Amino acid sequence: MTPRAGDRARYDRATAHLDAPVAIVDLEAFDANAADLVRRAGGKPIRVASKSVRCRALLERALAREGFAGIMSFTLDESLWLARAGFEDVLLAYPSADRAGFGELARDPKPAAAVTVMVDDVAQLDLIDASRAGGTEEVRVCLELDTALSLLGGRIRIGARRSPLREPAELAELARSVVRRPGFRLVGIMAYEGHVAGVGDAVAGRPLRSRAIRLMQSAARRELAERRSAVVRAVRAVAPDLEFVNGGGTGSVQHTAAEEAVTEIAAGSGFFVPRLFDHYTSFSGRPAALFAQPVVRRPGVGVVTVLGGGYPASGVAGPDRLPVPYLPEGLRYDPQEGAGEVQTPLLGSPADDLRIGDKVWFRHAKAGELCERFESLHLVEGDRITATVPTYRGEGRTFL
C-alpha cells in the first residue's frame, strides 16, 4: 500500500459514519507542517495568516505552539471579532474602508490595544479620523512597502500591485505624517513578497520556466533585502520604537528570516499545504486539509460522477485554480466538463473500483478558501475524528 493509499484508508475509516460532502484536517500533517515552518524561520516568530486558516480552533492550535506569535488578519471586521474573542495581537494586512469598524476601534480600548491597521496613504488616515464618531482611542498603524521587482526603469513589474510606497523616502514621509497626527501610533512595517513566497519554482514538466522563476526570485530577494533594510532605517529614524517588521510568506520563510531588518515572518498556507504549494525547491509539506465528495453516478467504464466539487480558487482563472482529485490516485477531470457546480465527472481506471456512495478526496488550490464552502472541519488523528470545529462560515462569519 502506498502512503497515499494508506491516507485514503485512514480518512475513509475516520469518516465512515459521515455523508459527504465533508472536510477534514489531518492533525498530524498540520502539526508537522507547523514544525517545519518554525524550523525554517530560524528563531524568528511567525505571525499566522488567518485568511489561510479561517478556523478559530486551528488558529489557537497554531498559536499554542512555540515559534508562533500573533495573527495577520484580512478585514477590519474580522480583526475586531478576533480581538473580542481574546486574540491580543492582530495585524490587519490590508487597508480598510470600514467606517463603522474604525468607529468601534476608536471607541473600545480592548480592540484598540490588540489591532494594528494597515495604511499606505494619508487619505486612509483621513478616513479613519472621519470615522471616529467621538472615539478617542489611539489607533495602531503599520506601513506597507511595495515589494515588486521593477526592471528596465519600471517598464517591467513582477509582483502584486499593493502599496504605492517603494522607496525609503516615501515611507519615511508617511511615517512623519502618522507620528505628527494625534490619535495614531506607528508600530510596524509590512512587506509581502508574493512573487517569491507565493510562486512555485519547480513547475512540473516545465524545466525552463522553473529555471526562469528561480532566477527572477533570486534577483527579487537580493533587491528587496537591500531596499527593505534601507526602508527600515529610514522609518526608524522617524519612529525609533517600531515594534515589528513583518515579511515573507510560506514559500519564502527561510529567505526572509535571514534578513536582519525583518523581525517576524508571516505564514498561513503552510499549515494546510494546498496544491499551489506543491512546486517549491525550498520546502515540501504534507497535505493537511482535504474535502470529500460522494460518488453518485457511474456513467460508464473508467468514469464516475461525484456531487459538486466546483470550488475554484481566487486569482487568474486557469486549471491551477481548480481543486485536484487526490484520493484515490489516478483520477482526473473530463476536459469537456471540468469541476462542476452540481456534478463533476472523473476519469481514470480507479473509477471502476468506486461504488455509489464512496468518497473521492480532493485538495483545494488554495488554503483558507476551502473553509468558505464548509461550516465545519473534522479533525483527524490516525483513523479517528477527535474533534469537529466550526470554520468562520460555521460561526456565521463571512468577511469577504
Side-chain angles (χ1 to χ4, degrees), residues 56-117:
R56 278 202 297 163
L58 291 177
L59 291 173
E60 291 167 353
R61 186 182 185 92
L63 290 171
R65 298 181 63 94
E66 186 175 352
F68 294 92
I71 287 178
M72 177 175 283
S73 58
F74 58 97
T75 74
L76 181 55
D77 191 18
E78 179 210 15
S79 305
L80 296 169
W81 178 64
L82 291 172
R84 290 193 296 269
F87 293 92
E88 297 179 348
D89 181 4
V90 183
L91 169 62
L92 175 56
Y94 307 88
S96 176
D98 181 353
R99 292 176 173 83
F102 283 127
E104 179 178 344
L105 188 68
R107 291 190 302 272
D108 191 333
K110 182 176 181 179
V115 175
T116 301
V117 303

Side-chain angles (χ1 to χ4, degrees), residues 74-349:
F74 58 97
T75 74
L76 181 55
D77 191 18
E78 179 210 15
S79 305
L80 296 169
W81 178 64
L82 291 172
R84 290 193 296 269
F87 293 92
E88 297 179 348
D89 181 4
V90 183
L91 169 62
L92 175 56
Y94 307 88
S96 176
D98 181 353
R99 292 176 173 83
F102 283 127
E104 179 178 344
L105 188 68
R107 291 190 302 272
D108 191 333
K110 182 176 181 179
V115 175
T116 301
V117 303
M118 192 65 59
V119 301
D120 56 35
D121 193 312
V122 171
Q124 293 155 353
L125 301 176
D126 293 339
L127 186 145
I128 295 170
D129 267 339
S131 305
R132 287 180 181 272
T136 58
E137 294 297 326
E138 189 174 59
V139 175
R140 294 166 53 86
V141 168
C142 177
L143 308 183
E144 182 169 4
L145 165 67
D146 173 42
T147 65
L149 178 62
S150 180
L151 303 172
L152 299 178
R155 291 190 292 275
I156 295 177
R157 175 191 173 91
I158 301 173
R161 295 186 181 277
R162 293 177 62 114
S163 172
L165 306 176
R166 283 190 58 82
E167 302 304 325
E170 294 173 329
L171 281 101
E173 177 67 21
L174 184 55
R176 282 189 285 271
S177 296
V178 175
V179 169
R180 290 195 297 257
R181 195 158 183 153
F184 293 90
R185 180 152 63 100
L186 179 57
V187 298
I189 300 171
M190 187 192 83
Y192 171 59
E193 54 268 40
H195 50 303
V196 179
V199 177
D201 62 351
V203 185
R206 304 286 297 277
L208 294 179
R209 177 173 174 79
S210 297
R211 177 169 173 74
I213 291 172
R214 287 194 290 273
L215 289 171
M216 175 277 291
Q217 291 180 338
S218 178
R221 288 196 301 268
R222 289 194 301 270
E223 185 276 336
L224 178 59
E226 293 179 7
R227 187 157 52 89
R228 180 155 39 199
S229 180
V231 163
V232 172
R233 287 195 301 271
V235 174
R236 285 195 184 279
V238 177
D241 296 328
L242 281 182
E243 296 175 12
F244 63 86
V245 177
N246 180 281
T250 289
S252 69
V253 170
Q254 65 271 39
H255 301 298
T256 308
E259 294 183 35
E260 185 176 352
V262 174
T263 67
E264 64 175 38
I265 312 300
S269 296
F271 291 100
F272 287 172
V273 186
R275 66 170 294 196
L276 284 177
F277 285 81
D278 283 347
H279 307 299
Y280 286 78
T281 57
S282 60
F283 81 102
S284 60
R286 293 174 53 182
L290 301 96
F291 67 93
Q293 302 295 111
V295 174
V296 293
R297 287 178 172 164
R298 293 172 50 89
V301 176
V303 185
V304 291
T305 301
V306 299
L307 182 71
Y311 304 159
S314 58
V316 179
D320 67 336
R321 300 291 145 164
L322 296 178
V324 62
Y326 184 62
L327 302 170
E329 299 178 65
L331 293 173
R332 65 186 186 279
Y333 291 119
D334 182 335
Q336 302 301 314
E337 296 197 45
E341 177 187 9
V342 179
Q343 70 162 35
T344 298
L346 298 171
L347 311 180
S349 58

